[in-house]
Every structure is written in C-alpha cells, then in structure tokens.
Amino acid sequence: MSESRAKRSGAPDASKRAPLKFGDDPLLWAAWLYYEEGMTQSEIAATMGLSRPTVITYLSEARERGIVNISIAVDRLRSLSLAQQMVDHFGLRDCLVVPTEGGERSLIDRLGDAGARTLGWHLRPAQTVGIAWGRTMLAVAAAVPPQHLADLRVVQATGGTTAAIPYTPEAVATRLSEALSAQVVPISAPCIVSQPQVRDLLLQEPVLREQMQSLSELDMIVLGVSSLRPNSTIHTSGFFANALEQHDHYRDAVGSLVGRFIDAQGTPVIGPLDGRTIGLPLEALRQVRTRIGVSGGFDKVPALLAALRGGYINVLVTDADTAEGILRADGAEVQRQSLSRRPPSSPTPEPAPAVGTPAPPPFVKKLLNDPRAAVDEAMEGLLRAHPGHIARIDGSFRAIRRATPAPEGKVGLVIGGGAGHEPLFLGYVGPGLADAVAVGNIFAAPPPDRILACCRAASSGAGVLHVFGNYSGDVMNFEMAGELASAMGIEVRTVVTTDDIAYSPASDRDGRRGTAGNVFIFKIAGAACDRMLPLEDCERITQKANAATFTMSVGLTAGSLPETRRPSFELGADEIEIGVGIHGEPGVQRALMMSADDIADRIMDGLFSEAGLCPGSRIGLLVNALGGTPMMELGILNRRVHQRLAARGVEIVRTWLGPYCTSLDMDGASVSVIVLDEQLEDLLLAPCDGFAFRVG
Amino acid sequence: MASFENAGSGAMVRKVAAAVVENRAWLSEIDGKIGDGDHGNNMAKGFGRAAERISDGDTLDAAFATVTDVLMGEIGGSMGPLYGMFFSDMADVVAGKERIDAPTFAAMLAAGAEGVMAIGEARPGDKCLLDALCPAVTAAEENAAKGFPETLVAVRKAAEDGRDATVDMIAQIGRASRLGERSRGVQDAGATSCALILVTLADAIEARLS
C-alpha cells in the first residue's frame, strides 16, 4: 500500500533522479566504454557479448541521440542503481559510481576524473574549497578542466607532509587552485609536529592563524579516505613514527581522513597524534556543507563505511565493487545487474498511473537548493544579512543570540519555535527584545539541547524567561530545557502565548495557540527585561501582554513545504480559510472568496467580540502577511481595519504592516491587536532594535 | 516459552527505521490532510539518522537508546519527545536482560505507553499515536501467557485496528484539534506511524523466533 502511494506522490524533485542502470541502456554503456574508458570497438563487443557491427551501430546511435554529450551522459550515469542505493542507504546528497574495470587507465585516474566532474557539479562562484592530499586527490586536481568561476579560494586541508611523495598537501592544493584560477591558502606548518607544545605555539602565529581561519570557512571539501594497510598514504606520508605507535594507540582505527583516525563506527580515535596534528578537525569537517569523498578499491571498504557512518562524507565518488562491498558490509541487500552479459533491451516504460487517480497538483516553484538544507541555508543567509543584530551560538545555525552583549544582571529572554515563520523568531532578537532564539525544523519545535544552549547564552545571573507559542511540541521541548537549566542553577520562568482567537472559544483561552500576536508579546517581554526588572515582574508583565493580545487570520491559498513543494491542504479556487493557523493547517471554517472589506469585517467582528474594544481603548495594531500576500493588499485590508476601529472610537497608538509572522508562502493575512494600559503602552513604545522590529 | 536474545537486536530496530523511511511520503500525505504535512519527513529524518548509528549486534535497549538520543537531541517537534520517551522507557525494561520473552515484551510496550502519557497530555481516544499503542499494550498483556507467536499476532492486529479506528475520531490534541468535526474521516498520522513501528517490530521478532 505504502509503496504505491509513495510512487504516486513522490514525483521528481530536484534531489532525486530517476534510477537507470547501465544494463538497461546498452547505448550508454557502450558509449561509456568507448569514450570514457577508451576501449576499442572489439573490446566493447567482447565485454558486452555483442558483435562488432552492433557496437558500431550503438555508438553511432548514441551520437545521434546525444548520449555522448558528456553532460547528459554523466547525468544519467549518476543514477546508476548502485549510486542510487548508496544515496538511499546512507542518506547521501549525491553519489557517483564508476565501473571498477575500465581499460588501461588506473582506477585512481578514473576516480580522479569522476571526482573532478563531481567537484564541477557542486562548485559555485565565491566558494572556499578545501582539499586533502594523497594519490587520488592529486588525480582529482589534475583532472579538473581549467575554469573561471569568480572569487574561488582553495585551502589546504592539513599541514604539510614529507616531500618524498609527489602528492603532498601543498602540491595538491596548488594544482587544484591553478586549474580553478583560484586563490590558494596553504597551511604553513607540518601536519604532524613533534610535540603538542610546538603545535600550540605555531597556532598562535598570526600567519598560521589566518590560514586556519580560512579552514573554518569551507563551503566544500574534497578528501580521500585512507585505509590503514601498510603501504597506504597514511604510512608513506610518515604519519606513524613507528609501527608500535600505531598498534598501541590506534588499534581500533580502521581508516584515516584529513590526517585523523576513526573507528568502524566513525567515532574519532584519539591518540597521541591528535595534540600534534595541525589541520581541519573532524568535528569541523562535519560542519562543511559539501563533503566530497573520492576513494575506491576494495581495501577501502571498512574505512569508507566508517567515514559514511560518521557522516564525514555526504557526496561519494567510488567504483562499483567498492560501493557494493560497502552496501553488503552494512547489511544492505544489493541489487546489481550483470552489466556485461545483458541482452539489449528497451528502457522500461513508466508504470501507467492507476485508473481514477487524480493528477497531483503541480510543484510550487521555490528558491531552493537541497530542500533538506533549507532551514540551515536560510538561517545562514539571514545571519549574514544582519551581523549587527544576530550571531551564532557555538557555531550553530539554529541557536542564535543577539550580536551585542546584554547588560549584566538583566533577565535573559529566550524565544523560539519551528522555522517557516520568518522573520519570526530571529527578527525579534536584539536590545529591548529577545537575547537568544532556538530554531527548529520547519514547523517543528527545537530540541531541548538547543534551547538550553540559548538559555545559557541568555543567562547573566538574573534568571531567564522562556516565551513561545502554545504548541505541544514547543511546550514539551522548552519544559525539558527548563528542567535542564534549573539543574544547572539557572532560574527559568515560562510564558506560553495564546493569542489565536479562532482556535477555540474564549473559555479555553489557555488552550489557544500562539500566532502573529507573538510579536507584541515578545516586544513587551523584551522591554520589561530591558528595564532590568526582576524575573517575577518580567513574567507577570509578559502574562499580562499575552492576555491583552488577540489575533485572527484568513488564508487564501495553502502554503507548501520545501520538501514536498505541494500545497499542504486543498483549497478550491474560490475558497478561503477563516481562522487559519500558521503551520499550513487548515482553518476553522471554509468560506467563499469575498472582498477585502468583507474579510476585514469578518476579522474585526471576531476581534471586537473578544478584545472588549470600546471608545477610548488604546491599541497596538499588527496587520501581518502570512508569507505570500503583498504589501499592496495589506494596505487595502488595513484601510478597512482602521475604518472599523475609528467607528468604534478605538485609538491606534501605532500600526505595523508587513510580514512579521509568516507561514512559508501562504497567501493571506492576520490582524493582531494588543489592548494597552499605561504600562503596556510604555513598554510597547520603548526603544528596541531587532532586524524585523525597531522602535525609536 | 519462545524468546529471543537481547544481544543482536540492532538489526530489528534498523528494520523498523527502514520502514519509517520507506513510508515517509505516505505519512506526510496523511498528515497533510489535517496537520502540517511534515510527519513523514521528520520521522524519516530521525529514524534514518538513528539507523546509521545502530549496529546489527546492538542489544535492543542500546538500539532503542540510540533512537531516543536522535529523536530528543536532534529532531524536536512533538514527535521527538513523545517517541523519544517511548523508546527510552521501553529500553529501561529490557536493559540487562539476557533474553526477551512475551511477558517482558508486554511489559516493555506498557512502559513505553506510560512514557508517552507522562510527557504529553494526550490520552487514548484523542486521535493520536496512543490509539494504536494502547490497544497493542492490552493485546500483549492479555496474550503474553500464551507465548510469543500469539502475542505478536494479537499486537499487530490491535495496532492496526487502533490505527484504523482513528479515522472516526475527532482530534482532541495537537494542531489538528483546531479543526474539530472537520478532523473526522482522516486517519491520524501519529497512530499510523506507531502502528507501522509496532507491526514492523513484531514482524522482525517473529522472524528471529523461527
């Protein structure tokens, strides 16, 4: 059941290519052997079990059909079944498997070609590329065709080794930088020094410090994986002073990468060399976005499997036998066609869709790379846009603090929740606002560890206030983080926001959800903390702000998740959802499309009945876009909202108009009011400076 | 009485993880009808990562603990803590056991269900994962004395029936609860993933017993 459904809904997306085996396409196989492997037509005929005239026909047809155009052929080669199985089994971003046997060229040279091509696919202008050393790395560097992407930088991944080998880190990095017309950053120190003290001294040198800084800025790294057999690179580069050293301390190690050692599970094996090694640490390696491992040969199976398990590689270039060995060693069932003796067959036609199955809606177009990396990439871009406001905690894209230090003795304010609501939550970090924000996956609460990191960053002795929307996931995760913080001696108080009036009747105020009104509540909480009030007062005032805040929203279209790129619920062309939530969940009531004024009236009637607005009431007003709705339409909506408030005699202290709390790309809007008393008005208008919210 | 060895159970948990990953699109599709449509993706992310860190030779409690670590430490959301506690409290029951028989299995499931109820506010009947889990616990407890094979058959059936029964329920918990009557007629995604986990686990145990 599930499989057929998965097929129906899992149509093509950017990260998945249709599987295709060499054996299914004899033209492609023949073309590869001829053009890539340099085999003669007779050799191909023998390999494929065909007559020579058939091979000639294949090759000419391959030319006619454009299969020998490298970019097309290679795209299809990437989808070899083994590569696809590797991608599925290890969750790789990409995998390229080359045939193990291939004419006269050595496996290392052919891996070099494939590695160079893979590097080319992933390389973009202005990137910083790290490269390790070794035979295969030199083959990669040598195979990269000259290209001229702007502002590339190549960084040597480790310090230097003995010059007795031709494939030293310097040689490899230099060769690659020349091919790419890139700036090269060497590491001007040995990879292994004699004493830990020497390393510590060297690392204080400004020149080396600057070079090591480049290593922490890698967008991509190309690395080999070394087995620990006697003549492997790791030995020939003089890593182990003596065999005893290896035996005693690295008994559990099965492989080495960037001069470090890992065991069969991919866990770092720490030995005496660690304190003496100068280069990219394994933890930092895992933080590099694109980690291209190029390595093949059957003896590499344990080392490669360990590297995959440890997550040190997310793009793999290897050969068919090695890939199969890795899959088998990891307990996967390998489906591999015999490539050489398969009779020519036409490609399998796509299965016809089941009768009566409605066609799925078209994919929504989005600015995306890898959908799975969408949140990290978005956070990185926002962090880069607003360095004066926000900064990472411990290098995380998901635990973010204010860029400027908070005054000592101030109550810390931590907010957070799922991603997909930007500029919520990180736009409300800064002086007079929150001190730290924990960011989850899309529409999913952040885990406790991350919230705890925020809490610790925000704590300066006066306690920490947690404020977040009332969703079961957020409540559970913040609660656990709060308990952990208490155990560390940080006093934590919590306010959950419940401004969404559409969710349930007023009698269930505490059960309601937090939506766009969060913005007002965060603002008031931030201002209270900024006044250096004690924790109990900050908590009480924030509770009061929550009780005074009311929101109602209308959705015109459903938003869509980056991973599915399909609308998250079905809405007819002439239908709208009244009281829609901010997670793509449908609203409480479906209605026919109506004019902007009618929508505004629907919302205002709801708010009037809840918020007790009467002549002389003073409010803050937020007319918020849910993600897709333009400012122009917000203006149209706001016009009527103001008319209704004026008719009621309500005084609007200030109006905020724009995308403040969104639901991905949903079209629609929400209106929030905060009913002000003297204290709340004073705090609402107090100066603050977040990138999405500034007063004064 | 039939039992299986605690050591070497990692492969079974990896099968469970593989089933979750395989069904990610289906789980998300069900979730999208009344939720936000990300259940399959988040579950697949968690179980996929956990599977990478589990060895076939792990004990059942070690493998469960790994699942908990990933769900609680990296996934978040509501399913992170709920399934995190489920697996962690199940691990506590089997930790240190040489072999696992049907009564131990029943006690393990019961502890898992209690863990879920302790951390969340949900109860059976709320249209949530407990609607698959609690009937499975009862079935295990009632059949444990008859031996493992019969227990597994009963657990599978109870989990699937419980899952199917969520179709007619009105959501009382989670984001779908805002829909009220409109949540009726759609199977619950949490109950679906829970039934999938229980059925796959039962299948894997059955294969090991024979």
Side-chain angles (χ1 to χ4, degrees):
Chain A
M1 166 176 61
S2 58
E3 199 179 338
S4 65
R5 298 187 79 116
K7 269 189 188 135
R8 184 149 52 77
S9 59
D13 70 14
S15 66
K16 199 128 174 151
R17 290 160 190 86
L20 179 79
K21 304 171 194 73
F22 262 139
D24 285 336
D25 195 335
L27 296 187
L28 179 58
W29 181 222
W32 171 270
L33 294 174
Y34 189 73
Y35 290 99
E36 286 295 320
E37 307 295 350
M39 286 171 78
T40 66
Q41 290 168 353
S42 316
E43 286 168 339
I44 296 168
T47 303
M48 294 182 69
L50 302 168
S51 71
R52 191 151 171 256
T54 307
V55 172
I56 294 168
T57 313
Y58 277 5
L59 291 175
S60 99
E61 204 182 326
R63 277 190 299 272
E64 275 165 30
R65 284 176 34 187
I67 288 173
V68 296
N69 173 319
I70 288 299
S71 62
I72 293 177
V74 154
D75 237 15
R76 299 170 76 178
L77 289 174
R78 296 164 80 188
S79 309
L80 275 166
S81 68
L82 272 172
Q84 192 60 56
Q85 285 177 68
M86 291 292 287
V87 166
D88 292 344
H89 189 79
F90 291 103
L92 296 175
R93 281 179 53 195
D94 209 346
C95 178
L96 178 58
V97 175
V98 302
T100 299
E101 280 114 46
E104 309 205 330
R105 302 187 58 217
S106 75
L107 179 59
I108 284 180
D109 282 347
R110 289 183 300 114
L111 285 172
D113 282 353
R117 226 174 269 136
T118 306
L119 173 68
W121 290 326
H122 289 272
L123 196 62
R124 299 288 178 274
Q127 288 192 325
T128 300
V129 183
I131 188 158
W133 85 99
R135 294 184 188 97
T136 315
M137 290 302 102
L138 189 60
V140 172
V144 169
Q147 44 192 299
H148 298 278
L149 293 175
D151 304 321
L152 292 176
R153 218 163 33 145
V154 171
V155 191
Q156 197 178 313
T158 65
T161 58
T162 168
I165 49 172
Y167 36 80
T168 61
E170 294 88 342
V172 172
T174 306
R175 187 80 182 255
L176 181 63
S177 68
E178 283 166 4
L180 296 178
S181 308
Q183 183 200 348
V184 64
V185 181
I187 299 294
S188 305
C191 182
I192 303 287
V193 295
S194 51
Q195 300 289 331
Q197 299 90 314
V198 174
R199 182 186 91 139
D200 297 345
L201 275 175
L202 280 171
L203 288 177
Q204 287 167 25
E205 287 295 327
V207 166
L208 191 56
R209 228 176 21 216
E210 181 192 282
Q211 293 168 344
M212 293 297 286
Q213 175 63 29
S214 305
L215 262 188
S216 69
E217 294 162 5
L218 295 183
D219 298 296
M220 182 189 301
I221 182 165
V222 188
L223 68 160
V225 174
S226 182
S227 71
L228 296 181
R229 70 191 154 82
N231 64 341
S232 67
T233 302
I234 201 73
H235 292 273
T236 48
S237 357
F239 254 75
F240 295 113
N242 54 59
L244 199 64
E245 190 169 50
Q246 176 188 358
H247 184 261
D248 281 1
H249 297 286
Y250 294 97
R251 209 176 351 222
D252 294 336
V254 299
S256 164
L257 54 173
V258 291
R260 316 268 173 177
F261 298 87
I262 53 174
D263 71 12
Q265 291 304 316
T267 313
V269 177
I270 308 296
L273 289 178
D274 259 86
R276 293 162 42 201
T277 305
I278 295 175
L280 187 70
L282 285 175
E283 248 335 286
L285 168 60
R286 266 208 289 231
Q287 304 297 320
V288 179
R289 214 187 126 209
T290 306
R291 311 179 291 278
I292 305 175
V294 187
S295 186
F298 211 73
D299 56 304
K300 300 281 182 73
V301 167
L304 270 169
L305 178 56
L308 290 165
R309 283 176 173 161
Y312 304 107
I313 289 173
N314 63 0
V315 175
L316 178 65
V317 178
T318 190
D319 64 283
D321 283 356
T322 308
E324 195 172 326
I326 292 169
L327 285 166
R328 286 197 199 286
D330 208 38
E333 282 172 28
V334 178
Q335 303 136 20
R336 189 180 175 211
Q337 309 290 340
S338 162
L339 297 180
S340 50
R341 279 178 205 85
R342 214 178 133 92
S345 62
S346 56
T348 325
E350 280 292 301
V355 179
T357 305
F363 285 111
V364 177
K365 284 178 276 191
K366 287 178 180 285
L367 297 176
L368 281 176
N369 300 307
D370 176 358
R372 290 166 298 184
V375 176
D376 280 347
E377 290 185 352
M379 293 304 131
E380 182 179 353
L382 291 169
L383 280 155
R384 284 179 185 273
H386 306 291
H389 289 95
I390 47 178
R392 301 156 74 173
I393 298 173
D394 299 332
S396 168
F397 285 128
R398 306 293 193 92
I400 291 166
R401 62 173 171 82
R402 60 189 266 183
T404 50
E408 278 296 306
K410 182 183 95 68
V411 169
L413 176 60
V414 173
I415 61 177
H421 306 303
E422 292 67 27
L424 199 80
F425 296 81
L426 70 172
Y428 309 107
V429 174
L433 292 166
D435 297 291
V437 50
V439 182
N441 292 325
I442 292 175
F443 298 162
D449 291 1
R450 204 175 292 157
I451 301 169
L452 180 64
C454 290
C455 185
R456 296 179 67 181
S459 164
S460 69
V464 172
L465 186 62
H466 284 176
V467 186
F468 51 89
N470 185 26
Y471 298 93
S472 49
D474 292 288
V475 171
M476 284 187 279
N477 286 287
F478 269 94
E479 205 167 82
M480 283 189 275
E483 284 167 12
L484 294 170
S486 300
M488 301 174 86
I490 301 174
E491 190 180 358
V492 174
R493 298 289 176 88
T494 295
V495 176
V496 292
T497 66
T498 57
D499 58 296
D500 180 9
I501 65 167
Y503 178 78
S504 59
S507 57
D508 179 41
R509 174 75 208 218
D510 291 345
R512 288 177 171 176
R513 304 313 191 211
T515 55
N518 272 333
V519 174
F520 286 144
I521 302 159
F522 295 158
K523 168 67 182 85
I524 300 287
C529 296
D530 201 46
R531 293 268 163 92
M532 307 298 281
L533 298 175
L535 182 58
E536 309 78 69
D537 291 357
C538 293
E539 180 193 11
R540 186 178 43 76
I541 291 167
T542 307
Q543 295 281 20
K544 185 165 85 169
N546 179 53
T549 303
F550 305 88
T551 299
M552 184 153 164
S553 49
V554 170
L556 308 183
T557 62
S560 57
L561 292 163
E563 295 212 31
T564 61
R565 292 192 292 128
R566 304 271 197 207
S568 62
F569 59 91
E570 289 154 25
L571 198 54
D574 56 348
E575 290 178 325
I576 58 174
E577 288 276 349
I578 312 267
V580 77
I582 54 170
H583 301 94
E585 61 272 61
V588 292
Q589 194 191 353
R590 192 157 287 194
L592 285 177
M593 186 60 204
M594 52 183 92
S595 70
D597 283 0
D598 286 343
I599 288 176
D601 286 344
R602 225 21 210 272
I603 292 175
M604 294 318 292
D605 288 344
L607 291 174
F608 282 150
S609 76
E610 286 270 342
L613 296 176
C614 54
S617 294
R618 296 172 68 78
I619 64 162
L621 176 67
L622 171 63
V623 178
N624 169 58
L626 290 178
T629 292
M631 184 67 90
M632 182 184 159
E633 291 171 37
L634 289 185
I636 295 171
L637 192 69
N638 186 52
R639 166 187 158 278
R640 180 65 181 165
V641 168
H642 272 245
Q643 285 175 354
R644 290 292 307 269
L645 287 164
R648 180 61 66 107
V650 173
E651 188 149 344
I652 304 164
V653 169
R654 186 164 166 185
T655 303
W656 284 269
L657 199 74
Y660 285 87
C661 170
T662 61
S663 178
L664 294 171
D665 51 355
M666 183 188 282
D667 286 325
S670 65
V671 178
S672 303
V673 298
I674 177 166
V675 187
L676 302 167
D677 63 9
E678 204 174 313
Q679 182 185 43
L680 291 178
E681 183 169 338
D682 175 41
L683 292 170
L684 182 66
L685 298 180
C688 72
D689 186 16
F691 79 74
F693 201 93
R694 180 177 301 151
V695 178
Chain B
M1 185 180 261
S3 64
F4 65 91
E5 198 183 342
N6 191 8
S9 296
M12 301 198 311
V13 180
R14 292 181 64 159
K15 276 187 191 145
V16 171
V20 171
V21 172
E22 273 165 30
N23 287 283
R24 70 191 298 166
W26 181 46
L27 292 173
S28 286
E29 189 183 317
I30 293 171
D31 189 36
K33 296 201 167 124
I34 52 171
D36 55 19
D38 67 350
H39 185 60
N41 287 333
N42 283 334
M43 291 287 284
K45 204 176 286 177
F47 282 85
R49 280 186 203 170
E52 286 172 20
R53 299 176 204 175
I54 293 171
S55 305
D56 288 353
D58 285 352
T59 58
L60 194 58
D61 44 294
F64 282 169
T66 304
V67 175
T68 295
D69 284 350
V70 174
L71 292 177
M72 300 272 260
E74 298 170 37
I75 297 308
S78 51
M79 285 303 146
L82 289 173
Y83 275 124
M85 290 312 291
F86 174 62
F87 283 103
S88 130
D89 287 5
M90 289 203 299
D92 288 347
V93 173
V94 292
K97 294 259 193 301
E98 277 287 315
R99 300 191 67 83
I100 294 163
D101 57 12
T104 311
F105 177 72
M108 176 186 94
L109 289 186
E114 273 159 34
V116 172
M117 287 189 271
I119 189 162
E121 292 172 349
R123 290 294 170 266
D126 285 353
K127 194 170 182 124
C128 66
L129 72 92
L130 289 171
D131 291 310
L133 179 54
C134 290
V137 170
T138 310
E141 287 171 338
E142 284 173 359
N143 290 280
K146 298 180 203 160
F148 231 141
E150 289 188 42
T151 305
L152 295 175
V153 170
V155 162
R156 262 195 305 251
K157 179 166 187 333
E160 286 176 342
D161 289 351
R163 172 197 68 195
D164 295 345
T166 61
V167 173
D168 292 328
M169 293 179 184
I170 294 177
Q172 305 291 335
I173 192 104
R175 290 182 199 137
S177 58
R178 68 186 299 124
L179 292 173
E181 189 62 41
R182 281 172 71 191
S183 66
R184 203 192 282 282
V186 179
Q187 187 170 314
D188 178 63
T192 308
S193 61
C194 187
L196 179 69
I197 289 167
L198 292 171
V199 168
T200 313
L201 185 63
D203 287 347
I205 294 173
E206 202 165 58
R208 270 192 93 193
L209 291 175
S210 56

